[in-house]
Amino acid sequence: MMQMSEYKVLSQNAPQDENGAVVLQPQAANARINANGAENWMSIPVGMPNCPQGLEYLTALDQLLVSQKIENLELITGFETENRFKVKNSLGQNVYFAYEESDCCTRNMLGRSRPFEMKILDNFQNEVLHLYRPFKCDLLCCFPSCMNAVEVSAPPGQVIGSVEQVCTFMRPKFNIKNTFGDTVLQIEGPLCPFKCFSDTNFKVLSANNEEIGKITKQWSGLGRELFTDADYFSVTFPLNLDVRMKALIFAALFLIDAVYYEE
């Protein structure tokens, strides 16, 4: 079995003030306020060395809030449409916009097993993160063709790692691997990932089995849960974690959603 490698914590990727202190999440006083009430976008941090273009936002964040858009056509007809997501920081400022690209036939015939690509765009409509999920059979087995995975690129075309499901009949588990295929982090879910009236947490674990973050599927209310597959998620990670590791944890959210919460 491949041994887990230590994940990297790079303080130089975290924004610092003139005295070298790490700057935490953006404060409300710095939020960009739009007089006409339009949604605000987070200001992009500058001067981030060794950071893929567009991921600079992640250097200043330790939490992301992800909401899936309710599609009216899907709600009325049950016809599966491409998923779309808004990604915000803890102040409610937009950070990214994510949308699925998939074939209409496979979407409605294969359901949660379908192959898809997920594109994550920044404020300037630049694609900064690209996810590719191949077709996997929707059976509870340990054959390689059944193990779900997503390949992550930042910028598009430059693979930074992957998230791969682990064969287990108990708790859901995923390995987060770097570009060399080494397991650097793990994700462990609860015995039952389907809960009513409460949130569901997937723990992010280091090589030392220490919890360093989590992906939470938030309970969104009885009506939304029963009649739509539009979900709310949050993801937390250490502020000074390597930005590529943050991106891979963020990408794991979309795989978890596809595997457990797509209808």
Side-chain angles (χ1 to χ4, degrees):
M1 179 178 295
M2 182 176 294
Q3 297 297 315
M4 290 178 62
S5 305
E6 285 284 355
Y7 66 91
K8 296 180 181 179
V9 176
L10 300 178
S11 59
Q12 63 264 34
N13 274 353
Q16 300 178 346
D17 61 19
E18 59 185 7
N19 297 318
V22 173
V23 178
L24 299 179
Q25 295 253 17
Q27 301 301 308
N30 294 327
R32 294 194 291 174
I33 305 300
N34 194 317
N36 61 14
E39 291 183 292
N40 298 317
W41 283 82
M42 175 182 170
S43 298
I44 186 169
V46 296
M48 298 293 110
N50 192 32
C51 179
Q53 186 174 1
L55 297 189
E56 294 91 346
Y57 296 99
L58 296 180
T59 64
L61 298 174
D62 57 14
Q63 182 183 43
L64 293 170
L65 306 175
V66 181
S67 60
Q68 186 174 350
K69 183 179 181 351
I70 295 178
E71 304 292 345
N72 292 330
L73 177 63
E74 185 173 330
L75 181 63
I76 296 171
T77 66
F79 185 85
E80 184 70 28
T81 58
E82 293 173 318
N83 292 326
R84 294 184 291 173
F85 302 84
K86 283 186 177 180
V87 184
K88 299 188 177 185
N89 62 21
S90 59
L91 297 177
Q93 297 172 303
N94 289 320
V95 181
Y96 296 117
F97 178 76
Y99 70 93
E100 173 189 350
E101 281 192 348
S102 59
D103 179 78
C104 177
C105 291
T106 57
R107 211 166 44 243
N108 286 276
M109 294 179 65
L110 299 179
R112 70 181 66 190
S113 300
R114 67 185 183 267
F116 65 79
E117 297 182 35
M118 188 73 67
K119 296 186 175 183
I120 290 88
L121 310 180
D122 64 10
N123 183 24
F124 306 100
Q125 299 299 301
N126 296 318
E127 184 181 1
V128 299
L129 202 59
H130 187 94
L131 282 56
Y132 171 66
R133 188 267 182 115
F135 166 77
K136 296 294 180 180
C137 69
D138 193 19
L139 298 175
L140 296 177
C141 64
C142 286
F143 292 114
S145 60
C146 296
M147 293 292 97
N148 292 277
V150 64
E151 182 184 76
V152 186
S153 301
Q158 185 171 329
V159 176
I160 61 170
S162 63
V163 183
E164 301 178 8
Q165 187 179 23
V166 178
C167 178
T168 173
F169 296 102
M170 298 294 288
R171 296 177 181 273
K173 290 185 179 180
F174 298 85
N175 286 336
I176 295 179
K177 297 184 177 183
N178 61 21
T179 186
F180 302 108
D182 300 322
T183 299
V184 290
L185 297 171
Q186 286 188 331
I187 297 174
E188 182 178 285
L191 285 173
C192 179
F194 310 101
K195 293 184 180 180
C196 293
F197 307 105
S198 64
D199 297 344
T200 304
N201 294 316
F202 291 77
K203 297 183 292 186
V204 180
L205 306 174
S206 70
N208 300 320
N209 209 37
E210 175 187 358
E211 182 176 349
I212 63 167
K214 62 183 177 181
I215 297 171
T216 302
K217 194 273 182 185
Q218 301 175 343
W219 172 255
S220 56
L222 189 60
R224 190 179 179 113
E225 294 285 349
L226 285 177
F227 300 110
T228 77
D229 57 5
D231 300 306
Y232 290 119
F233 290 90
S234 66
V235 55
T236 58
F237 32 61
L239 180 67
N240 62 341
L241 184 67
D242 179 80
V243 69
R244 292 168 182 81
M245 296 300 104
K246 290 184 179 183
L248 289 170
I249 297 172
F250 175 43
L253 179 155
F254 296 102
L255 182 60
I256 290 172
D257 178 47
V259 173
Y260 296 107
Y261 303 112
E262 276 290 298
E263 298 178 358

